[in-house]
């Protein structure tokens, strides 16, 4: 607060200019697919697809990447208008990214009924799927870089002092660019496979047991080159820093077992109960380009950044850093340390759906006369219940990364104390974490905190009124969070914040919505 009143920001970031972009890209694909019924109990489906997505270009060649030396010892802007690296001497296409033509995607599936005329069915499948949607947002980021626009992400230092009056006119000491991409960036792909066994049970019941597997390869990974832990001297002050570098070296795995029990529609009732146990692990920053962040978007507002005068006053910065910046690797020289539970790793998930329809049969009241028939027929009631374990959260030690304007990527040290042994009024134990030792990165794992359990119950009721041969009216009422139960979706995991261990988000309160529609 003192620094704010004095007009001395701790970090600063800005990006503007080059607003009119004319991005161009195209996608082509070829595929062949065939179904083969081997016999009455075995069907085979096989296919092969080749998909190519060209990296985006800009109509007027207004894209800028960084041409970097091995080990990031030097970097220079690389413009699409003159795509020859000043440092590497290599030539690049107008997109500044080399195309990836290896989008071969085989797929196969089988359905087998081992006993003729039985209800037992075994299904299995395998497929490869490319993520060809990444290039547009990459081009958007590359079009917002110097010298075609104004960008920076810097830290207040003795050699580069900042004030609110002069911050955004400051020139970074090394490079003003805030984002760069490996020119050999590869399109990521996922291998999906599954095996399921389905069998009918008495009482119009069907049960299905399924195993699902996914292996992601060449996923996106972001890091900050030439950064170093707090408490040590920069060994290469002239090396380029302050920008996020994107590569395609990450991978992921997900294994899931699923059991489902379904009651087919009978006497107006149908229901589905499904339980899933899964585990997902990765070291990726994002699974789609929409999840990427730059040194500008990851940095919280400069006025809210923690300083020596008061690290616990950065409430807004803490929440922003916890939710976004943690996807950038902490230590650019040890990217394997980023491997941990995926952000969507919900270990246990239970779903239940129920529907009752009174219909128009005898039991539904269609053959009844008077008020009884008018009251009972053609009602539909549905409800959906979801109960799941918490999603992973990352502990954050909120301070700027030395030499940059980025905050929220540094993790604390884990002391060994139980994380959930929290004092009254809190959900997390602050004694489980401490500031990183000087000269070292924090040893707490990425996504190492299990968030609050999830619960949701929604319901709806509706009826169709027959007003004539060609005129119908539908009335429906939907209830979201029908029981009005408070469910926290996340906790504050910034260990040097006074709000550590408190909820940061909650689900929406109960909402009722009524609709009436006339169809003719």
């Amino acid at each position: 607060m003192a620094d704010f009143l004095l007009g001395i920001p701790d970090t600063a970031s800005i990006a503007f200019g080059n607003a009119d972009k004319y991005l161009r890209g195209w996608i082509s694909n070829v595929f062949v697919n065939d179904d083969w019924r081997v016999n009455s109990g075995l069907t085979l489906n096989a296919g092969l697809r080749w998909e190519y997505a060209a990296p985006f270009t800009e109509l007027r060649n207004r894209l800028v990447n960084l041409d970097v030396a091995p080990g990031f010892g030097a970097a220079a802007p690389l413009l699409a208008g003159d795509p020859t690296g000043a440092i590497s001497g290599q030539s690049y296409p107008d997109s500044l990214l080399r195309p990836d033509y290896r989008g071969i995607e085989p797929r196969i599936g089988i359905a087998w009924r081992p006993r003729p005329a039985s209800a037992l069915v075994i299904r299995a499948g395998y497929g490869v799927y490319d993520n060809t949607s990444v290039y547009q947002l990459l081009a958007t980021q590359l079009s917002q870089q110097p010298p075609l626009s104004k960008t920076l992400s810097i830290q207040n230092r003795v050699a580069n002092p900042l004030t609110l009056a002069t911050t955004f006119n400051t020139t970074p000491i090394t490079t003003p660019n805030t984002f760069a991409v490996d020119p050999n960036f590869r399109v990521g792909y996922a291998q999906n496979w599954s095996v399921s066994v389905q069998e009918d049970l008495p009482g119009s019941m069907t049960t299905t047991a399924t195993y699902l597997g996914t292996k992601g390869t060449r996923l996106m990974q972001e890091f900050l080159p030439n950064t170093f832990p707090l408490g040590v001297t920069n060994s290469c002050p002239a090396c380029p820093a302050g920008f996020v570098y994107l590569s395609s070296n990450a991978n992921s795995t997900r294994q899931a077992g699923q059991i489902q029990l379904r009651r087919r529609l009978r006497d107006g009732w149908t229901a589905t109960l499904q339980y899933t146990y899964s585990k997902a692990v990765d070291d990726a920053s994002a699974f789609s380009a929409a999840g990427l962040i730059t040194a500008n978007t990851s940095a919280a507002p400069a006025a809210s950044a923690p300083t020596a005068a008061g690290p616990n006053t950065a409430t807004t910065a803490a929440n922003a850093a916890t939710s976004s910046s943690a996807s950038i690797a902490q230590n650019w020289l040890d990217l394997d340390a980023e491997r941990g539970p995926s952000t969507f790793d919900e270990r246990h998930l239970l779903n239940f759906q129920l529907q009752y329809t009174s219909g128009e049969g005898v039991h539904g009241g269609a053959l009844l006369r008077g008020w009884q028939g008018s009251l009972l027929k053609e009602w539909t009631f549905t409800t959906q219940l979801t109960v799941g374990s918490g999603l992973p959260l990352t502990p954050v030690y909120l301070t700027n990364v030395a030499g940059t304007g980025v905050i929220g990527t540094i993790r604390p040290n884990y002391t060994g104390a139980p994380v959930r042994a929290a004092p009254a009024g809190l959900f997390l134990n602050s004694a489980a974490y401490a500031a990183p030792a000087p000269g070292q990165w924090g040893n707490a794992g990425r996504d190492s905190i299990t968030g609050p359990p999830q619960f949701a119950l929604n319901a709806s009721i509706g009826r169709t009124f027959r007003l004539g041969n060609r005129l119908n009216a539908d009335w429906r009422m939907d209830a979201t969070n029908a029981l009005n139960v408070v469910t926290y979706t996340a906790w504050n995991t910034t260990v040097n914040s006074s709000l550590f261990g408190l909820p940061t988000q909650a689900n929406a309160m109960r909402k009722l919505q009524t609709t009436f529609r006339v169809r003719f």
Side-chain angles (χ1 to χ4, degrees), residues 360-362 364-377 463:
E360 295 190 11
V362 174
L367 301 182
L368 298 178
R369 302 294 183 183
W371 66 269
Q372 290 177 312
S374 301
L375 179 64
L376 296 178
K377 66 180 180 181
R463 183 182 174 179

Side-chain angles (χ1 to χ4, degrees), residues 19 24 48 55 238 363 449 493 510:
R24 299 290 186 269
L48 182 65
H363 297 291
I449 298 176
T493 58
R510 177 169 52 214

Side-chain angles (χ1 to χ4, degrees), residues 89-428:
Q90 299 184 27
S91 296
Y92 300 93
D94 293 344
S95 63
L96 303 182
L97 303 178
R98 295 188 173 97
D100 186 359
Y101 296 103
R102 290 165 283 191
I104 299 176
E105 306 170 11
R107 295 165 192 182
I108 187 171
I110 63 170
W112 178 41
R113 191 184 301 273
R115 298 192 301 266
S118 73
L120 177 63
V121 179
I122 300 173
R123 298 180 177 89
Y126 171 83
V128 177
Y129 304 87
D130 282 359
N131 179 21
T132 57
S133 63
V134 298
Y135 285 124
Q136 181 174 354
L137 282 178
L138 296 187
T140 301
Q141 296 291 349
L142 295 179
S143 65
Q144 195 72 43
Q145 299 297 321
L148 303 181
S149 65
K150 174 75 171 181
T151 67
L152 57 85
S153 178
I154 54 178
Q155 174 192 8
N156 193 354
R157 296 182 295 176
V158 175
N160 190 29
L162 303 179
T163 67
L164 289 180
T166 62
T167 291
F168 298 126
N169 293 323
T170 303
T171 300
I173 296 176
T174 55
T175 176
N177 296 64
T178 59
F179 183 79
V181 186
D182 181 356
N184 296 314
F185 182 87
R186 298 280 302 278
V187 172
Y189 65 90
Q191 301 176 72
N192 295 339
W193 58 91
S194 65
V195 178
S196 68
V197 179
Q198 178 181 308
E199 176 69 288
D200 286 350
L201 301 176
S204 300
M205 307 288 283
T206 300
T207 183
T208 305
T210 306
Y211 163 72
L212 303 164
T214 300
K215 172 67 171 65
T217 306
R218 297 201 298 260
L219 303 180
M220 292 177 286
Q221 192 172 54
E222 293 183 301
F223 57 90
L224 297 165
N226 295 314
T227 52
F228 50 92
L230 301 174
V232 299
T233 303
N234 187 0
S235 60
C236 185
C239 291
F243 64 94
V244 174
Y245 193 78
L246 175 66
S247 65
S248 53
N249 299 322
N251 61 80
S252 68
T253 60
R254 182 179 186 268
Q255 313 287 336
Q258 188 177 91
I259 185 73
Q260 181 188 87
L261 183 64
R262 182 170 65 90
R263 185 186 193 273
R264 296 188 296 272
L265 182 62
R266 179 183 177 186
D267 295 332
W269 293 94
T270 181
T272 301
L273 178 65
Q274 179 175 287
Y275 169 74
T276 303
Y277 176 80
S278 64
K279 182 178 181 180
V281 179
D282 69 76
D283 56 1
S285 298
F287 286 83
S288 68
L292 295 178
I293 53 181
T294 69
N296 294 109
T297 56
S298 66
S304 299
T307 65
N312 292 334
T313 63
T315 304
T316 303
N319 293 336
T322 301
S323 62
S324 62
S325 302
S327 62
I328 300 179
Q330 175 184 234
N331 181 2
W332 71 290
L333 296 176
D334 186 14
L335 298 179
D336 290 340
E338 299 303 305
R339 191 161 185 84
S342 301
T343 55
F344 53 84
D345 180 32
E346 193 169 19
R347 196 60 52 88
H348 303 276
L349 180 62
L350 178 69
N351 289 296
F352 176 69
Q353 296 180 343
L354 173 69
Q355 176 180 307
Y356 173 71
T357 302
S358 62
E360 295 190 11
V362 174
H363 297 291
L367 301 182
L368 298 178
R369 302 294 183 183
W371 66 269
Q372 290 177 312
S374 301
L375 179 64
L376 296 178
K377 66 180 180 181
E378 297 192 77
W379 284 94
T380 298
F381 170 79
T382 62
T383 184
Q384 305 89 34
L385 172 67
T386 301
V387 180
S389 54
L391 296 172
L393 301 172
T394 298
V396 173
Y397 183 77
L398 192 62
T399 186
N400 54 275
V401 180
T404 76
V406 178
I407 65 173
T409 69
I410 297 177
R411 298 191 290 270
N413 274 344
Y414 176 56
T415 63
V419 177
R420 300 299 294 272
L426 298 176
F427 294 92
L428 300 176

